[in-house]
């Protein structure tokens, strides 16, 4: 291909991606339809990101998916009365072109494949959400909720609750939402309403409330009712402490973004969200590490059976550690986080059994905090009931990442060059690094990357939806 043809090809792809963007935006805002390409989200994606998502299809199915081949499916989707679902246009297009020689059957094919989402009634009312705490996870949850702004959005961020209220606090909070050293700038505009103590982000009006205890707030004074309060502080972890939220008028349920104590259900979305009942008032979304490893452990156990194993977490440092050596109540955590690898404990391996009881007592775990600000890795060493090898294990987990009920939790990479910073912004609970897999006989070692901030926050949103009975289908099935 000549240099001019390369340029012309790029121009055509770029223009096609630009033509997709308004359709993708309207589908989400007006119908609650999120479009993906083999799991890669196109919501608010740039033209380059849309092009790259199509290039990655080759890794999954061994063949290209051209933008001109997928565009007719987005057009057809925009004409259907589909509501509240996630649609993988990549899978639909690849499956179609394998069966049909031309585009004449696309509309009929789409109507048939998406029939369940077309016939369902959109009867769910929008629900109010309050973020109690506005740290690393709180701000990422805010970004995820705000990016879904539209008339079809059922999770509406209404308020954030903070301690303090010192002069200049509101602008500083807005600035931290606007700029992030790890995840980059906020995709949109953030304004401050000093008079009414509010932040306005992409048209979402967020009331800022100051309180020192969960039971001090009357949410009804701000027009908030029947709200899900998401506690990001980590201060209260048992039923007595988290139950304080329920004493506040306008609050109806509580979700903790940390492992809970006592009888509170620890939920890993995609694995045991069905455990959440309507009468459950307090639920935990477990930890980032538990969310990263449980889906893959479930997949492996379902096929091979796990006798026992060990999970070693190579975890980025967190705000709980010190920048320089100083006093800390926990062992070793007082030493400088950016300068040291720090051995510490983790309850993630044991916590897996709360979401996956079949693994009760079968796993041990430890953690090493390392001098990176985000993205971690779990090294999972397992003894299995059945025998396997590297190729078979990778092919099975690749299939689970693409075709199973865990496709929104497990991602898969076969890159020989991927490093931790490449995974910043990953929306998956965990990403299998297939090149590092070791498997022989009844033993296997799996290396699983995870964005311990953003990927975990995506999992939390899934639990939020389940707690509020906002159930979204992923299509096509399988």
């Amino acid at each position: 291909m000549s240099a001019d043809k390369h340029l012309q090809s790029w121009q055509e792809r770029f223009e096609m991606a630009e033509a997709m963007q308004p359709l993708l935006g309207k589908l989400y805002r007006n119908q609650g339809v999120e479009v993906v390409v083999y799991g890669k989200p196109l919501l608010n994606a740039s033209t380059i990101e849309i092009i790259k998502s199509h290039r990655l299809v080759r890794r999954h199915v061994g063949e290209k998916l051209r933008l001109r081949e997928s565009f007719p499916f987005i057009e057809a989707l925009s004409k259907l009365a589909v509501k509240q679902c996630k649609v993988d246009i990549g899978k639909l297009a690849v499956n179609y072109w394998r069966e049909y020689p031309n585009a004449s059957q696309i509309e009929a094919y789409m109507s048939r494949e998406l029939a369940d989402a077309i016939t369902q009634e959109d009867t769910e009312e929008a629900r109010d959400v309050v973020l109690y705490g506005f740290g690393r996870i709180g701000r990422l949850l805010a970004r995820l909720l705000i990016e879904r702004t539209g008339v079809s959005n059922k999770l509406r961020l209404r308020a954030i609750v903070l301690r303090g209220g010192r002069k200049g606090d509101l602008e500083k909070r807005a600035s931290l939402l606007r700029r992030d050293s790890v995840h980059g700038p906020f995709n949109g505009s953030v304004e401050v309403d000093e008079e009414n103590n509010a932040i306005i982000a992409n048209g979402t009006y967020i009331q800022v409330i100051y309180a020192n205890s969960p039971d001090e707030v009357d949410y009804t004074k701000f027009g908030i009712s029947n709200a899900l309060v998401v506690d990001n502080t980590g201060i209260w972890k048992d039923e007595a402490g988290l139950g304080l939220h329920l004493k506040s008028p306008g609050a109806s349920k509580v979700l903790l973004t940390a492992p809970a104590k006592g009888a509170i259900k620890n939920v890993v979305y995609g694995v045991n969200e069905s455990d959440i009942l309507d009468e459950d008032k307090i639920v935990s979304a477990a930890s980032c590490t538990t969310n990263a490893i449980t889906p893959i452990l479930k997949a492996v156990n379902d096929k091979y059976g796990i006798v026992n194993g060990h999970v070693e977490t190579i975890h980025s440092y967190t705000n709980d550690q010190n920048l320089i050596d100083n006093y800390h109540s926990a062992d070793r955590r007082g030493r400088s986080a950016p300068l040291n690898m720090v051995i510490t404990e983790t309850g993630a391996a044991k916590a897996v059994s709360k979401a996956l009881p079949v693994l009760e007592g079968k796993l041990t775990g430890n953690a090493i905090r390392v001098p990176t600000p985000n993205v971690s890795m779990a090294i999972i060493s397992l003894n299995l009931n059945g025998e396997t090898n590297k190729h078979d294990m990778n092919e099975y987990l690749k299939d689970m990442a693409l075709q199973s009920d865990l496709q929104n939790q497990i991602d898969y990479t076969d890159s020989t060059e991927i490093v931790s910073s490449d995974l910043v912004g990953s929306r998956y609970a965990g990403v299998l690094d297939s090149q590092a897999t070791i498997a022989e006989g009844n033993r296997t070692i799996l290396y699983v990357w995870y964005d311990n901030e953003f990927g975990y926050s995506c999992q939390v949103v899934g639990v939020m939806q389940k707690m509020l009975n906002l159930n979204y289908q992923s299509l096509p099935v399988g």
Side-chain angles (χ1 to χ4, degrees), residues 439-457:
E440 184 176 352
N442 66 346
R443 294 189 65 243
T444 189
I445 302 175
L446 305 173
Y447 292 74
V448 181
W449 297 100
Y450 57 108
D451 185 323
N452 48 278
E453 294 183 334
F454 200 77
Y456 174 67
S457 296

Side-chain angles (χ1 to χ4, degrees), residues 44 67 105-106 146 188 190 198 205 271 289 307 310 332 460 467:
N44 294 329
L67 274 77
Q105 302 295 315
I106 287 179
I146 292 165
V190 177
Y205 187 89
V271 175
T289 303
V307 178
H310 177 80
R332 309 192 209 221
V460 172
M467 288 183 73

Side-chain angles (χ1 to χ4, degrees), residues 200-213:
I200 305 165
N202 289 2
T204 298
Y205 187 89
I206 308 166
Q207 186 69 53
V208 179
I209 304 169
Y210 292 98
N212 293 315
S213 177

Side-chain angles (χ1 to χ4, degrees), residues 2-74:
S2 69
D4 286 344
K5 287 185 177 179
H6 278 293
L7 184 59
Q8 182 180 356
S9 174
W10 175 258
Q11 183 78 5
E12 289 175 356
R13 282 179 282 164
F14 202 88
E15 290 176 356
M16 191 69 71
E18 286 180 320
M20 289 181 179
Q21 288 173 312
L23 296 177
L24 296 168
K26 288 180 180 178
L27 278 166
Y28 188 82
R29 288 192 304 274
N30 298 334
Q31 296 170 230
V33 177
E34 184 175 353
V35 179
V36 301
V37 172
Y38 277 81
K40 302 301 179 186
L42 301 188
L43 178 64
N44 294 329
S46 67
T47 51
I48 298 299
E49 289 169 336
I50 293 174
I51 293 170
K52 288 173 67 176
S53 71
H54 282 68
R55 289 181 59 187
L56 288 172
V57 172
R58 184 197 291 270
R59 288 188 183 178
H60 298 303
V61 298
E63 56 188 282
K64 290 181 180 179
L65 176 63
R66 297 172 175 83
L67 274 77
R68 64 173 179 269
E69 293 174 329
S70 66
F71 185 72
F73 293 86
I74 296 176

